[in-house]
Coordinates of all heavy atoms in Angstrom, one line a residue:
L1 N 0.8 -1.2 0.0 CA 0.0 0.0 0.0 C 0.8 1.3 0.0 O 0.3 2.4 0.0 CB -0.9 0.0 1.2 CG -1.9 -1.2 1.3 CD1 -2.7 -1.2 2.6 CD2 -2.7 -1.3 0.1
H2 N 2.1 1.1 0.0 CA 3.0 2.3 0.1 C 2.8 3.3 -1.0 O 2.7 2.9 -2.2 CB 4.5 1.9 0.1 CG 5.0 1.4 1.4 ND1 6.3 1.3 1.7 CD2 4.3 0.9 2.5 CE1 6.5 0.8 2.9 NE2 5.3 0.6 3.4
G3 N 2.6 4.5 -0.6 CA 2.4 5.6 -1.6 C 1.0 5.8 -2.1 O 0.7 6.7 -2.8
K4 N 0.1 4.9 -1.8 CA -1.3 5.0 -2.3 C -2.0 6.0 -1.4 O -2.0 6.0 -0.2 CB -2.0 3.7 -2.3 CG -1.4 2.7 -3.2 CD -2.2 1.4 -3.3 CE -1.5 0.4 -4.2 NZ -2.4 -0.6 -4.7
P5 N -2.8 7.0 -2.1 CA -3.6 7.9 -1.3 C -4.7 7.2 -0.6 O -5.3 6.2 -1.1 CB -4.1 8.9 -2.3 CG -3.3 8.7 -3.5 CD -2.8 7.3 -3.5
L6 N -5.0 7.6 0.6 CA -6.2 7.2 1.4 C -7.1 8.4 1.7 O -6.7 9.3 2.3 CB -5.8 6.5 2.7 CG -6.9 6.2 3.7 CD1 -7.9 5.1 3.0 CD2 -6.4 5.7 5.0
Q7 N -8.3 8.3 1.1 CA -9.3 9.4 1.3 C -10.5 8.8 2.1 O -11.0 7.8 1.7 CB -9.8 9.8 0.0 CG -10.9 10.9 0.1 CD -10.4 12.2 0.6 OE1 -9.6 12.9 0.0 NE2 -10.8 12.6 1.8
L8 N -10.8 9.4 3.2 CA -12.0 9.1 4.0 C -13.1 10.0 3.6 O -12.9 11.2 3.4 CB -11.7 9.2 5.5 CG -10.6 8.4 6.2 CD1 -10.6 8.7 7.7 CD2 -10.8 6.9 5.9
V9 N -14.3 9.4 3.4 CA -15.5 10.2 3.2 C -16.4 9.7 4.3 O -16.9 8.5 4.3 CB -16.1 9.9 1.8 CG1 -17.4 10.6 1.6 CG2 -15.1 10.3 0.7
V10 N -16.7 10.6 5.2 CA -17.4 10.2 6.4 C -18.6 11.1 6.6 O -18.5 12.3 6.6 CB -16.5 10.3 7.7 CG1 -17.2 9.9 8.9 CG2 -15.2 9.4 7.5
S11 N -19.8 10.5 6.9 CA -21.0 11.2 7.2 C -21.2 11.1 8.7 O -21.0 10.1 9.3 CB -22.2 10.7 6.4 OG -22.3 9.3 6.7
T12 N -21.7 12.3 9.2 CA -22.0 12.3 10.6 C -23.5 12.9 10.8 O -23.9 13.8 10.1 CB -21.1 13.3 11.4 OG1 -21.2 14.6 11.0 CG2 -19.6 12.8 11.3
G13 N -24.2 12.4 11.8 CA -25.5 12.9 12.1 C -25.4 14.3 12.6 O -26.2 15.1 12.2
G14 N -24.5 14.6 13.5 CA -24.3 15.9 14.0 C -23.6 16.8 13.0 O -22.9 16.4 12.2
D15 N -23.9 18.1 13.2 CA -23.3 19.1 12.3 C -21.9 19.4 12.8 O -21.4 18.9 13.8 CB -24.2 20.3 12.2 CG -24.4 21.1 13.5 OD1 -23.7 20.8 14.5 OD2 -25.3 21.9 13.5
R16 N -21.2 20.4 12.1 CA -19.9 20.7 12.4 C -19.8 21.3 13.8 O -18.8 21.0 14.6 CB -19.4 21.8 11.4 CG -17.9 22.2 11.6 CD -17.5 23.1 10.5 NE -18.1 22.6 9.2 CZ -17.5 22.4 8.1 NH1 -16.2 22.6 8.1 NH2 -18.1 21.9 7.0
Q17 N -20.8 22.0 14.3 CA -20.7 22.6 15.7 C -20.8 21.5 16.7 O -20.1 21.5 17.7 CB -21.9 23.6 15.8 CG -21.6 24.6 17.0 CD -21.7 24.0 18.4 OE1 -22.5 23.1 18.6 NE2 -20.9 24.5 19.3
A18 N -21.5 20.4 16.4 CA -21.6 19.3 17.4 C -20.3 18.6 17.5 O -20.0 18.0 18.6 CB -22.7 18.3 16.9
Y19 N -19.5 18.7 16.5 CA -18.1 18.1 16.5 C -17.1 19.2 16.6 O -16.3 19.4 15.7 CB -17.9 17.2 15.2 CG -18.6 15.9 15.3 CD1 -19.9 15.8 14.7 CD2 -18.0 14.8 15.9 CE1 -20.5 14.6 14.7 CE2 -18.7 13.6 15.9 CZ -19.9 13.5 15.4 OH -20.6 12.3 15.4
S20 N -17.2 19.9 17.8 CA -16.2 20.9 18.1 C -15.9 20.8 19.6 O -16.7 20.1 20.3 CB -16.8 22.3 17.7 OG -17.8 22.6 18.6
A21 N -14.9 21.6 20.0 CA -14.6 21.6 21.5 C -15.8 22.0 22.3 O -15.9 21.6 23.5 CB -13.4 22.4 21.7
Q22 N -16.6 22.9 21.8 CA -17.8 23.4 22.5 C -19.0 22.6 22.2 O -20.1 22.8 22.9 CB -18.0 24.9 22.1 CG -16.9 25.8 22.5 CD -15.7 25.7 21.5 OE1 -15.9 25.4 20.3 NE2 -14.5 25.9 22.0
G23 N -19.0 21.7 21.3 CA -20.2 21.0 20.9 C -20.5 19.7 21.7 O -19.7 19.3 22.6
Y24 N -21.5 19.1 21.3 CA -22.0 17.9 22.0 C -21.0 16.8 22.1 O -20.9 16.1 23.1 CB -23.3 17.4 21.2 CG -23.9 16.2 21.8 CD1 -24.7 16.2 22.9 CD2 -23.6 14.9 21.2 CE1 -25.3 15.0 23.4 CE2 -24.2 13.8 21.6 CZ -25.0 13.8 22.8 OH -25.6 12.7 23.2
N25 N -20.2 16.6 21.0 CA -19.2 15.5 21.0 C -17.9 15.9 21.5 O -17.0 15.0 21.7 CB -19.1 15.0 19.6 CG -20.4 14.4 19.1 OD1 -20.8 13.3 19.6 ND2 -21.1 15.0 18.2
R26 N -17.6 17.2 21.8 CA -16.4 17.7 22.4 C -15.1 17.6 21.6 O -14.1 18.1 22.1 CB -16.2 17.1 23.8 CG -17.4 17.3 24.7 CD -17.0 17.4 26.1 NE -18.3 17.6 26.8 CZ -18.3 17.6 28.1 NH1 -17.2 17.4 28.8 NH2 -19.4 17.8 28.7
Y27 N -15.2 17.0 20.5 CA -14.0 16.9 19.6 C -14.4 17.1 18.2 O -15.4 16.6 17.7 CB -13.3 15.5 19.8 CG -12.9 15.2 21.2 CD1 -13.7 14.5 22.0 CD2 -11.6 15.6 21.6 CE1 -13.3 14.2 23.3 CE2 -11.2 15.3 22.9 CZ -12.0 14.6 23.7 OH -11.6 14.3 25.0
P28 N -13.5 17.7 17.4 CA -13.7 17.7 15.9 C -13.7 16.3 15.3 O -12.9 15.4 15.8 CB -12.5 18.5 15.4 CG -12.0 19.2 16.6 CD -12.3 18.4 17.8
A29 N -14.5 16.1 14.3 CA -14.6 14.7 13.7 C -13.2 14.3 13.2 O -12.8 13.2 13.3 CB -15.6 14.7 12.6
A30 N -12.4 15.3 12.7 CA -11.1 14.9 12.2 C -10.2 14.4 13.3 O -9.4 13.5 13.0 CB -10.4 16.1 11.5
D31 N -10.3 14.9 14.5 CA -9.5 14.3 15.6 C -10.0 12.9 15.9 O -9.1 12.1 16.3 CB -9.7 15.2 16.8 CG -8.9 16.5 16.7 OD1 -8.3 16.8 15.7 OD2 -9.0 17.3 17.7
L32 N -11.3 12.7 15.9 CA -11.8 11.3 16.2 C -11.4 10.3 15.1 O -11.5 9.1 15.4 CB -13.3 11.4 16.4 CG -13.7 12.3 17.6 CD1 -15.2 12.5 17.5 CD2 -13.3 11.6 18.9
L33 N -11.0 10.8 14.0 CA -10.6 9.9 12.9 C -9.1 9.6 12.9 O -8.5 8.9 12.0 CB -11.0 10.5 11.5 CG -12.5 10.5 11.3 CD1 -12.8 11.4 10.1 CD2 -13.0 9.1 11.1

């Protein structure tokens, strides 16, 4: 797999604000990935 790009396409029920330090989930989705 060396050198192959890996692209995640992830859907979340919560919006961007829900996935923030101040939001319901307390972490950005990118951090959880």
Side-chain angles (χ1 to χ4, degrees):
L1 303 177
H2 281 199
K4 294 186 182 197
L6 172 62
Q7 176 69 66
L8 301 183
V9 176
V10 180
S11 56
T12 66
D15 62 16
R16 186 174 318 235
Q17 202 288 324
Y19 284 93
S20 69
Q22 299 75 30
Y24 178 79
N25 295 294
R26 304 211 178 173
Y27 299 96
D31 288 359
L32 296 168
L33 292 168

